Amino acid sequence: MAWLKPATKTTILPNYLSPFLVFIFIWLFISILSDKYNLAESQKLRNPIVAIIRSNFTVLAIILILIFGLKVEITSRLIVFGTIVIASSIELFFVILFYFHRKLTENNNSSSALKPTQVEFFPQKLSHEIELELPQINIENSIYTNLKDKYLADNPDLFSFVNDAHLKEGLHLSLDKIPRNQSSILDTHTLFNIENIDSESLTFFLNLHKINDIRRINKYFLAINANLKFGGYFVGCGETIRSHHEKFYSKYPNIIAFIFYYTDFIFKRIIPKLPIFKEIYFAVTKGENRIISETEILGRLYSSGFEVLDTTEINNLFYFIARKINISSPNDVPSYGLFVKMRRVGQNGEFINIYKFRTMHPFSEYLQDYIYQKYKLEKGGKFKNDPRLTGWGRILRKLFIDELPQFINVFRGEVGIVGVRALSEHYFELYPKDLKKLRTKFKPGLVPPYYVDMPETFEEILESERKYLIKRQKKPISTQFEYFFKAWWNILVRGVRSR
């Protein structure tokens, strides 16, 4: 714009450095918030174009408020507004260019497979039925005798737990069938001792040292995964938050226990998860004796390619038996922060990231199937006694505070004010095929039809959503207003809450 107005280069432009930096900050902040540069997540050209227009109009509105509302002095408004127009045109040009290039590339590599950002409309059966082939051996050549009389002689409860672990209905883990030369029993927190084992050489791995002392827990799990054969067993233990809490309160009077416990909790639980501070913490403590939740232990196992078979508590330690069902992948790292983004099925079957305040323990997102199998669904479609929820998380949910960051999704155009809930892929697969297709015709919403009909069973939830979606197809505008006011009447006047 300065080149279009030659006089401004010498008379006005030198005075524009500070306003230009403010403009750049506003532009980038709104652009990142709107996620308009995330082209890979959207399969339709219309979506990023709408995102660019929405984002840039927001920038324009902010600039207008600054100039006319707050009366910020700008010498040339043509330069300011012209810059917005030119920048928007450049963005639109390159987005269109990117999509045409991607379309040509996809045509050249034509395939019948669905795009990776879309969910398929049929059940995905992830097989857990992995059979482990074991040789026929005598009990003398198995790990049974060594475990019972040597390694676990002082812990018979643990031996019984491992030997009788439930694998499937009517099937147990029998130690007398596992060869000694395919097993490893350690008591170590040193990763070197595990990485020194040959890949895929083990059927059974037991570490008697609690994982709270291991510096990099996921790396430790990944190393064990690499050493086990498919279907191989991993037995380990850790001290959970609950056990840690009970240890303090059984040792000291309540007031002293409260002070000691929460001081210890902040140092060993919160600080290790904070940027910068965690580096100092690990430098001082070497990562030993951290506080970790049961949920986080299980979630880390699932994220590292294991399936949890059985758990128990012995001598204030949480023991687990897991088996390798997948090749581990260290790439998908969950967030520890206050904000979380959850992968959900959105409009047209495309995946979107829903933003919320954290209400669950870290790594909870990997336990969807485990929690469903163990706890099933209660009234209202939630998991019964969901152990993934934290105490303060339950409070945030009761007050709807955890939902506030979803206005970012509303701003981006991924979510509407009224609509069905955005579901995880696992939960989505529980729905019948016709309702899946009907759901993905519309954007998910902040206020679901649940608050209007208050269904109690899973089947009633399905019918409530189906009724709403069919009604919305016929009368899209009036249905939204009807459900919005009915839902908020129930929430504010009748005190209805999601379970």
Side-chain angles (χ1 to χ4, degrees):
M1 286 308 298
W3 280 103
L4 293 177
K5 290 187 66 180
T8 62
K9 286 185 290 184
T10 57
T11 61
I12 300 175
L13 203 55
N15 301 322
Y16 269 67
L17 179 59
S18 296
F20 184 69
L21 291 176
V22 173
F23 170 78
I24 287 294
F25 173 78
I26 294 172
W27 187 276
L28 290 176
F29 177 77
I30 297 299
S31 297
I32 293 170
L33 189 65
S34 66
D35 206 31
K36 71 179 181 184
Y37 297 132
N38 194 4
L39 302 180
E41 290 294 326
S42 182
Q43 299 301 316
K44 291 187 176 181
L45 177 59
R46 174 178 60 85
N47 294 339
I49 288 179
V50 170
I52 287 172
I53 294 172
R54 182 189 299 110
S55 171
N56 296 359
F57 263 104
T58 303
V59 173
L60 178 61
I62 293 172
I63 299 298
L64 287 172
I65 291 171
L66 290 175
I67 293 175
F68 297 104
L70 302 180
K71 300 186 186 239
V72 175
E73 291 187 8
I74 296 292
T75 310
S76 175
R77 291 170 186 171
L78 178 62
I79 287 183
V80 175
F81 298 128
T83 301
I84 294 175
V85 172
I86 291 175
S88 300
S89 301
I90 292 172
E91 284 185 338
L92 289 169
F93 171 76
F94 278 106
V95 163
I96 293 170
L97 191 66
F98 172 84
Y99 268 78
F100 274 110
H101 174 266
R102 187 165 72 177
K103 190 173 182 180
L104 289 172
T105 305
E106 288 174 351
N107 289 338
N108 290 335
N109 303 315
S110 59
S111 170
S112 60
L114 267 169
K115 296 180 178 66
T117 55
Q118 282 188 303
V119 67
E120 301 178 44
F121 294 117
F122 52 85
Q124 298 176 355
K125 294 183 179 178
L126 181 63
S127 176
H128 289 187
E129 303 300 319
I130 298 173
E131 297 294 338
L132 183 65
E133 295 183 6
L134 295 173
Q136 296 292 327
I137 59 171
N138 296 324
I139 191 170
E140 293 80 10
N141 296 322
S142 72
I143 62 171
Y144 181 92
T145 304
N146 273 355
L147 274 182
K148 183 178 181 181
D149 300 333
K150 184 178 179 181
Y151 297 109
L152 300 182
D154 296 332
N155 198 341
D157 291 337
L158 178 57
F159 176 81
S160 298
F161 166 66
V162 175
N163 191 51
D164 297 330
H166 295 276
L167 307 184
K168 302 175 191 174
E169 189 67 32
L171 184 63
H172 300 274
L173 192 163
S174 299
L175 297 175
D176 58 350
K177 296 180 181 178
I178 298 177
R180 281 205 304 265
N181 61 0
Q182 294 183 18
S183 64
S184 179
I185 295 91
L186 300 174
D187 187 347
T188 182
H189 69 284
T190 305
L191 195 60
F192 173 80
N193 295 330
I194 297 162
E195 293 178 328
N196 203 33
I197 301 172
D198 292 336
S199 296
E200 297 188 6
S201 61
L202 300 179
T203 297
F204 181 87
F205 179 88
L206 167 64
N207 190 357
L208 295 171
H209 202 98
K210 61 182 182 180
I211 66 172
N212 307 67
D213 293 336
I214 295 172
R215 168 67 176 87
R216 293 180 174 87
I217 298 174
N218 266 37
K219 192 173 181 180
Y220 161 71
F221 284 168
L222 295 174
I224 295 170
N225 180 290
N227 295 336
L228 286 171
K229 299 178 180 181
F230 271 94
Y233 304 109
F234 168 32
V235 181
C237 66
E239 184 183 53
T240 64
I241 292 176
R242 185 180 65 255
S243 298
H244 199 71
H245 181 274
E246 289 174 358
K247 183 170 67 176
F248 273 86
Y249 278 80
S250 62
K251 187 175 181 181
Y252 303 105
N254 286 349
I255 296 177
I256 297 175
F258 177 86
I259 296 171
F260 283 1
Y261 172 74
Y262 282 101
T263 302
D264 193 66
F265 184 87
I266 291 170
F267 181 68
K268 294 180 180 178
R269 176 67 176 171
I270 297 177
I271 289 180
K273 300 183 184 305
L274 297 177
I276 301 176
F277 290 99
K278 68 179 181 181
E279 303 302 330
I280 301 173
Y281 173 86
F282 286 117
V284 173
T285 66
K286 308 301 180 186
E288 295 182 4
N289 206 24
R290 272 181 293 166
I291 299 177
I292 187 169
S293 67
E294 177 182 325
T295 297
E296 184 172 342
I297 294 173
L298 299 177
R300 285 179 182 269
L301 285 166
Y302 273 91
S303 75
S304 301
F306 292 98
E307 174 192 24
V308 177
L309 301 175
D310 207 354
T311 64
T312 191
E313 190 168 312
I314 302 171
N315 299 327
N316 291 323
L317 285 178
F318 173 75
Y319 285 90
F320 58 82
I321 300 176
R323 66 171 177 168
K324 177 179 176 178
I325 62 169
N326 203 354
I327 298 174
S328 55
S329 173
N331 298 323
D332 192 9
V333 180
S335 168
Y336 286 113
L338 178 63
F339 291 95
V340 291
K341 61 178 183 179
M342 300 176 295
R343 183 178 165 93
R344 294 291 184 261
V345 180
Q347 190 175 20
N348 301 318
E350 293 185 1
F351 289 115
I352 59 176
N353 291 318
I354 294 292
Y355 293 89
K356 284 191 174 186
F357 286 122
R358 175 177 295 283
T359 58
M360 292 185 174
H361 293 287
F363 288 85
S364 293
E365 57 268 41
Y366 295 98
L367 294 178
Q368 192 87 2
D369 184 59
Y370 173 81
I371 297 297
Y372 175 74
Q373 296 298 331
K374 189 168 183 177
Y375 296 96
K376 301 303 180 183
L377 298 176
E378 65 174 353
K379 291 181 178 181
K382 299 287 186 178
F383 291 119
K384 185 177 182 179
N385 301 321
D386 193 339
R388 298 174 300 169
L389 275 175
T390 62
W392 50 268
R394 295 180 191 277
I395 297 173
L396 291 183
R397 289 194 172 191
K398 286 288 184 183
L399 300 175
F400 297 100
I401 295 174
D402 64 308
E403 308 282 355
L404 293 179
Q406 283 193 59
F407 282 102
I408 296 173
N409 298 106
V410 175
F411 175 71
R412 290 179 176 178
E414 299 165 331
V415 169
I417 299 298
V418 179
V420 292
R421 291 186 187 275
L423 300 178
S424 66
E425 189 175 1
H426 173 270
Y427 206 124
F428 184 79
E429 291 301 340
L430 300 177
Y431 276 56
K433 189 174 181 179
D434 66 309
L435 190 52
K436 290 181 190 177
K437 289 187 176 181
L438 191 58
R439 269 180 139 267
T440 54
K441 289 182 179 180
F442 305 97
K443 293 178 185 178
L446 287 179
V447 182
Y450 171 89
Y451 292 107
V452 174
D453 300 324
M454 291 305 298
E456 294 193 345
T457 66
F458 181 63
E459 289 70 25
E460 289 177 0
I461 291 174
L462 299 182
E463 289 309 309
S464 171
E465 291 187 356
R466 183 179 279 109
K467 182 180 73 171
Y468 160 75
L469 292 168
I470 292 173
K471 198 170 184 179
R472 183 173 174 179
Q473 276 185 316
K474 297 177 180 177
K475 299 178 180 179
I477 297 176
S478 61
T479 299
Q480 294 297 83
F481 277 102
E482 176 189 345
Y483 272 76
F484 177 83
F485 288 112
K486 282 184 177 180
W488 281 106
W489 174 266
N490 286 341
I491 291 170
L492 297 176
V493 179
R494 299 176 59 189
V496 168
R497 293 292 182 269
S498 175
R499 294 182 175 86

